[in-house]
């Protein structure tokens, strides 16, 4: 049986080059060479990540995969599961919520909900994301899943689906409990997914304050209300161990800065601010491909049609250091092993690997633009004849 032949990478990078396929798969993505702007020196933290949501690239990492207590940042997954339930029509933002005794007596930060006092899912959302209300988290969990345990199962299911392999949840509020763990990188990836799937979170999480039942609740995020800051969460893992997850948008770019185990809330804010400054000043984004753009053509005489076009499933943007516009990117397409017809439209046919100075920046799924069927004997004969012309 003849092997598929990669004809060409059709869409090349404007200021780079495109390479033919090779059988060797590249390693996992790595950081590109640092920009001229020096990276910030963080202050006694246990882990940190700076991530560009548009490109999906990690721009800076420090102890990114160290297992730590995520504390209040657990509520980001609580929000994700809540939004998912709303999207599926299981709950409605304006529906009235029954407040249980367990939610009423939740420890730590609170929205101060109580039985027989009216509260809606939308109000619980604000209490969850602005002042980190543990009572709001319990009420949301019980409303969505019927029980806290059932909701935690949903949280862990979604964490596994996102590929957060170092994360495990034991409650929806982040209060200390054995077995609850995550990493700075997993929190950043969770934040990325939350923003992409449910961008409405940014309309709530960045507010400086919120009022419920005549009680003003203030955002624990020390950067809330400043400039481009629009979220996301705060947690106290232990005495003198603060976690902070900050998102911000500037000039169309969305950055997420995660700081775990800072010695104080103000230090966490300063370090997160320094990370964002490094992201804005040291890096730039470059668009490579539009969603659905043809990036490769694969030829096989036993297929009908004889050529399948491969397209991207999403818009592709890369983050590269500032002041290095002249340097080249390389795009390398690797077809799937034993690729053969029939191939349905939208089915995977390979992967595009994008490198910068030899560093792998992104791996991009490539799918078939249109369906391909096995060619009949007459069509194969025509194809064989054409190949001799």
């Amino acid at each position: 049986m003849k092997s598929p032949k990669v004809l060409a990478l059709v869409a090349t990078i404007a200021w780079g080059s495109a390479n033919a396929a090779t059988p060797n798969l590249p390693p996992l993505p790595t950081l590109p060479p640092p920009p001229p702007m020096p990276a910030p020196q963080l202050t006694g933290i246990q882990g940190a990540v700076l991530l560009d949501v548009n490109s999906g690239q990690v721009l800076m990492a420090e102890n990114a995969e160290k297992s730590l207590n995520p504390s209040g940042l657990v509520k980001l997954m609580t929000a994700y599961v809540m939004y998912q339930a709303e999207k599926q029509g299981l709950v409605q933002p304006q529906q009235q919520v029954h407040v249980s005794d367990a939610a009423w007596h939740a420890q730590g930060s609170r929205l101060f909900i109580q039985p027989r006092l009216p509260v809606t899912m939308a109000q619980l959302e604000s209490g969850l994301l602005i002042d980190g209300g543990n009572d709001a988290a319990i009420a949301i969990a019980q409303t969505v899943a019927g029980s806290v345990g059932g909701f935690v199962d949903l949280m862990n299911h979604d964490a596994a689906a996102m590929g957060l392999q170092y994360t495990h949840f034991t409650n929806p509020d982040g209060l200390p409990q054995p077995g609850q763990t995550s990493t700075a990188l997993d929190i950043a990836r969770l934040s990325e997914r939350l923003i992409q799937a449910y961008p409405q979170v940014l309309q709530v999480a960045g507010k400086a304050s919120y009022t419920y039942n005549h009680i003003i609740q203030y955002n624990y995020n020390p950067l809330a209300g400043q400039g481009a800051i629009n979220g996301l969460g705060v947690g106290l893992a232990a005495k003198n161990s603060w976690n902070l997850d900050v998102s911000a948008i500037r000039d169309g770019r969305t950055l997420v800065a995660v700081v775990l185990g800072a010695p104080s809330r103000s230090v966490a804010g300063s370090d997160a601010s320094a990370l964002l400054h490094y992201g804005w000043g040291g890096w730039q984004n470059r668009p490579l491909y539009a969603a659905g753009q043809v990036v490769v053509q694969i030829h096989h005489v036993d297929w009908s049609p004889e050529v399948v076009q491969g397209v991207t499933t999403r818009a592709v943007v890369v983050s590269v250091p500032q002041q290095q516009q002249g340097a080249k990117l390389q795009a390398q397409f690797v077809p799937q092993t034993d690729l053969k017809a029939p191939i349905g439209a939208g089915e995977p046919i390979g992967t595009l690997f994008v490198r910068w100075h030899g560093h792998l920046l992104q791996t991009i799924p490539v799918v078939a633009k249109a369906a391909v069927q096995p060619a009949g004997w007459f069509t194969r004969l025509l194809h064989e004849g054409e190949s001799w012309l």
Side-chain angles (χ1 to χ4, degrees):
M1 178 180 175
K2 297 180 177 65
S3 299
K5 178 181 179 183
V6 178
L7 295 180
L9 287 173
V10 177
T12 57
I13 299 170
W15 70 110
S17 63
N19 295 336
T22 67
N24 299 319
L25 293 180
L28 294 174
T30 56
L31 287 172
M37 179 179 181
Q41 299 298 308
L42 305 182
T43 314
I45 54 92
Q46 297 183 51
V49 162
L50 173 66
L51 181 142
D52 188 300
V53 173
N54 302 71
S55 67
Q57 290 175 222
V58 173
L59 307 183
M60 180 176 169
E62 188 170 314
N63 296 327
E65 295 184 341
K66 180 180 180 180
S67 293
L68 296 166
N69 176 6
S71 62
L73 300 186
V74 163
K75 296 183 178 77
L76 298 176
M77 183 59 85
T78 302
Y80 182 88
V81 176
M82 176 194 68
Y83 286 132
Q84 191 168 236
E86 289 182 355
K87 181 179 180 180
Q88 295 170 350
L90 302 177
V91 295
Q92 303 295 328
Q94 297 308 318
Q95 79 176 63
Q96 294 291 323
V97 173
H98 168 74
V99 177
S100 68
D101 285 345
W104 181 25
H105 295 298
Q107 300 299 306
S109 58
R110 301 173 62 197
L111 179 62
F112 297 104
I113 56 176
Q114 55 186 286
R116 294 177 294 280
L117 183 66
V119 65
T120 65
M121 284 295 294
Q123 289 172 319
L124 291 175
E125 174 191 1
S126 293
L128 177 79
L129 293 169
I130 296 174
D131 77 318
N134 296 329
D135 51 356
I138 298 298
I140 288 170
Q142 293 175 332
T143 303
V144 169
S147 68
V148 170
F151 189 86
V152 171
D153 288 342
L154 295 176
M155 295 171 69
N156 285 314
H157 176 273
D158 286 344
M162 293 180 196
L164 309 183
Q165 56 182 322
Y166 302 111
T167 294
H168 181 74
F169 299 110
T170 60
N171 61 46
D173 49 46
L175 286 174
Q177 202 165 26
Q180 187 142 267
T181 185
S182 191
T183 67
L185 181 58
D186 276 4
I187 293 295
R189 291 299 183 197
L190 167 58
S191 304
E192 175 188 27
R193 178 60 183 152
L194 177 61
I195 292 170
Q196 290 175 335
Y198 305 108
Q200 62 266 37
V201 67
L202 302 181
Q203 299 173 13
V204 179
K207 292 182 178 179
S209 65
Y210 175 70
T211 301
Y212 169 73
N213 192 29
H214 309 294
I215 301 173
I216 300 176
Q217 309 282 357
Y218 293 97
N219 199 322
Y220 284 105
N221 182 345
L223 304 182
Q226 298 182 22
I229 306 299
N230 50 28
L232 276 167
V234 183
L236 180 60
K239 184 179 180 181
N240 301 325
S241 182
W242 286 85
N243 297 335
L244 179 61
D245 184 2
V246 175
S247 62
I249 298 176
R250 180 185 293 178
D251 298 329
R253 290 180 66 198
T254 301
L255 299 183
V256 166
V258 178
V259 175
L260 301 183
S264 69
R265 189 162 64 100
S266 62
V267 167
S270 297
D271 282 352
S273 181
L275 285 169
L276 292 175
H277 180 69
Y278 176 67
W280 303 133
W283 299 83
Q284 60 186 331
N285 282 356
R286 296 296 184 191
L288 294 189
Y289 305 110
Q293 182 172 343
V294 176
V295 294
V296 70
Q297 293 186 147
I298 302 178
H299 169 276
H300 200 299
V301 295
D302 290 338
W303 293 352
S304 180
E306 192 176 357
V307 174
V308 63
Q309 293 182 322
V311 298
T312 56
T313 58
R314 56 176 173 81
V316 179
V317 175
V318 294
S319 300
V320 295
Q322 289 274 18
Q323 302 175 4
Q324 295 190 29
Q325 294 94 328
K328 290 185 176 181
L329 291 160
Q330 290 84 39
Q332 178 191 39
F333 176 75
V334 177
Q336 283 196 338
T337 305
D338 297 328
L339 186 64
K340 59 184 179 180
I343 302 171
E347 286 189 13
I349 61 172
T351 305
L352 193 66
F353 298 89
V354 178
R355 289 187 176 86
W356 169 278
H357 288 288
H359 296 261
L360 182 64
L361 299 187
Q362 293 191 36
T363 58
I364 302 156
V366 178
V367 301
K369 183 178 182 180
V372 172
Q373 300 298 327
W377 69 269
F378 185 69
T379 302
R380 290 199 301 271
L381 185 62
L382 289 176
H383 290 169
E384 290 282 3
E386 290 169 357
S387 67
W388 286 96
L389 296 179

